[in-house]
Amino acid sequence: MTTETPPPAYGGGPVPAAGRKTVTLHRLRAMREAGEKVAMLTAYDAASARLLDDCGVDCLLVGDSLGMVMQGHPSTLPVTLEQMAYHTGCVARGNRGAWLIADLPFGSYQGGVEQAVASSVALMQAGAQMVKLEGGGWTAPIVAALVERGIPVCAHLGLTPQSVHALGGYRIQGRDAAAAQNLRAHARELGRAGAAMLVLELVPSDLAADISAGYPGITIGIGAGQRTHGQVLVLHDMLDITAGTKPRFVRNFMQGAASIGDAVRSYVRDVKSGAFPDEALHGYSA
Ligand code: KIV
C-alpha cells in the first residue's frame, strides 16, 4: 500500500489530524501553482494552535503582535526574542500539521546577518519552520544569508509595525507612485534573495495584485485585497476579542458562528473560495 505523505525520515514527529496532510513549503508552493489560496492565522499558545490546525488553517504565525494582543503593549517593539521562542515552543507543541512561522522581533536582526542567524536559530530550535522579518532593501542580504543556511524566510512589506514610529502610525503604504515603486523594488529584491513567502500589509489592492503576480514565492495579504496567494489575520481580531475599533480589513467571523471552531472553519472556507476579503469592504485603493 502506498501513502501520499511519506513518514518522517528519522521517525517520530507529530501525526496530523485524520484527513489532514502535513503542510510543507513544497505543498504551499503547489497550492500557489494550483491557484489554491493559503489560509493563515496568528497563534500564540498550544490550545489555539491545535484548534486552528484541526480546523484546516494552513499556516500558523507566531506574530510579534502578541506584544499587543497578549501583553497589552501599544506596539510590537517591546517583544523579546526569548518571549518569541517561548510562544513558538507553545504553538509547536499544540500544532500537528500546519506550517509554523515565527516572527523575529524588533532588535533581533537589525544588527546584521550574524545576529539574524543566531536569532533565527533560536526560533527554529523552539519549533518554527520559517522565520519572518520586516522591511525591504537592507533586509535582502539578511534573507539571502538565512536561506543559504537552510532557514526558510517570510518577508514582510507595506505596513511594517516594527517601524511604526518611522512610518508615522498604522497607515496605508504605497499609495503614491514613488512609494509603490519602492515597494515593487523591495519585493523584487526579496524574491531574488530567496524569501519563499511575503506578507503584504495594508497596501492598495492593485499594488498587492501586481507584486503578487511577479513574485516567485507565496504572497499573503492583510488589508491588501483579494489577489494575493493567501490571507492572514490576527486570531483575536477575527474572533472579535480585541478591544476597541478594528481595522477595516478585519471581518468578525464570530458573527453567526456557533463556536470558535465554526468561526475558524468559516475563515478557511472564505479565504479558499475568495469570499474573504471582500474587495469593496476590506480592500484599499491607491
Ligand atoms: O505580528 C503579526 O501578527 C503579523 C501579522 C499581522 C502579519 O505580522
Side-chain angles (χ1 to χ4, degrees):
M1 193 183 84
T2 56
T3 52
E4 265 193 61
T5 311
Y10 302 106
V15 177
R20 172 119 161 104
K21 276 190 205 158
T22 300
V23 182
T24 60
L25 195 48
H26 182 79
R27 182 158 157 66
L28 290 166
R29 289 192 180 111
M31 286 168 69
R32 184 210 145 129
E33 288 315 303
E36 179 182 343
K37 299 275 185 186
V38 174
M40 184 190 295
L41 283 173
T42 61
Y44 314 122
D45 63 86
S48 42
R50 176 60 61 92
L51 177 75
L52 302 190
D53 178 27
D54 286 351
C55 290
V57 175
D58 299 306
C59 302
L60 305 181
L61 171 64
V62 187
D64 60 356
S65 52
L66 68 84
M68 300 169 85
V69 176
M70 305 290 291
Q71 301 173 339
H73 291 297
S75 78
T76 60
L77 300 181
V79 178
T80 66
L81 181 63
E82 288 69 28
Q83 290 165 350
M84 288 306 300
Y86 169 78
H87 285 280
T88 300
C90 295
V91 170
R93 287 187 288 277
N95 179 39
R96 293 187 288 186
W99 181 250
L100 204 169
I101 305 153
D103 263 342
L104 285 163
F106 180 66
S108 73
Y109 58 102
Q110 281 80 358
V113 166
E114 216 176 300
Q115 188 197 25
V117 171
S119 302
S120 302
V121 166
L123 295 184
M124 299 294 278
Q125 288 184 331
Q129 294 165 314
M130 175 178 248
V131 297
K132 180 163 83 57
L133 49 74
E134 297 183 7
W138 65 275
T139 56
I142 293 176
V143 169
L146 294 175
V147 172
E148 245 179 7
R149 287 159 177 77
I151 300 171
V153 177
C154 175
H156 183 157
L157 292 176
L159 174 71
T160 46
Q162 291 175 14
S163 306
V164 61
H165 298 307
L167 296 174
Y170 297 97
R171 52 180 69 214
I172 304 163
Q173 302 297 308
R175 267 200 152 148
D176 63 67
Q181 260 322 98
N182 206 32
L183 274 180
R184 281 196 191 89
H186 284 163
R188 259 196 309 276
E189 284 169 15
L190 290 163
R192 271 195 225 113
M197 203 176 265
L198 170 65
V199 166
L200 293 168
E201 180 165 356
L202 216 52
V203 297
S205 302
D206 285 347
L207 177 60
D210 193 30
I211 290 173
S212 297
Y215 198 73
I218 301 130
T219 61
I220 304 288
I222 173 165
Q226 211 264 316
R227 289 164 287 161
T228 51
H229 305 125
Q231 297 291 329
V232 61
L233 282 179
V234 169
L235 178 67
H236 293 62
D237 285 351
M238 55 82 79
L239 295 180
D240 203 30
I241 297 170
T242 312
T245 322
K246 251 79 61 199
R248 210 187 83 194
F249 60 76
V250 175
R251 180 194 287 173
N252 174 8
F253 281 86
M254 278 308 283
Q255 220 155 37
S259 65
I260 290 175
D262 250 13
V264 172
R265 279 186 288 272
S266 298
Y267 171 75
V268 173
R269 188 194 56 227
D270 287 358
V271 167
K272 301 261 176 209
S273 71
F276 177 80
D278 178 331
E279 210 56 82
L281 295 175
H282 310 112
Y284 299 91
S285 54

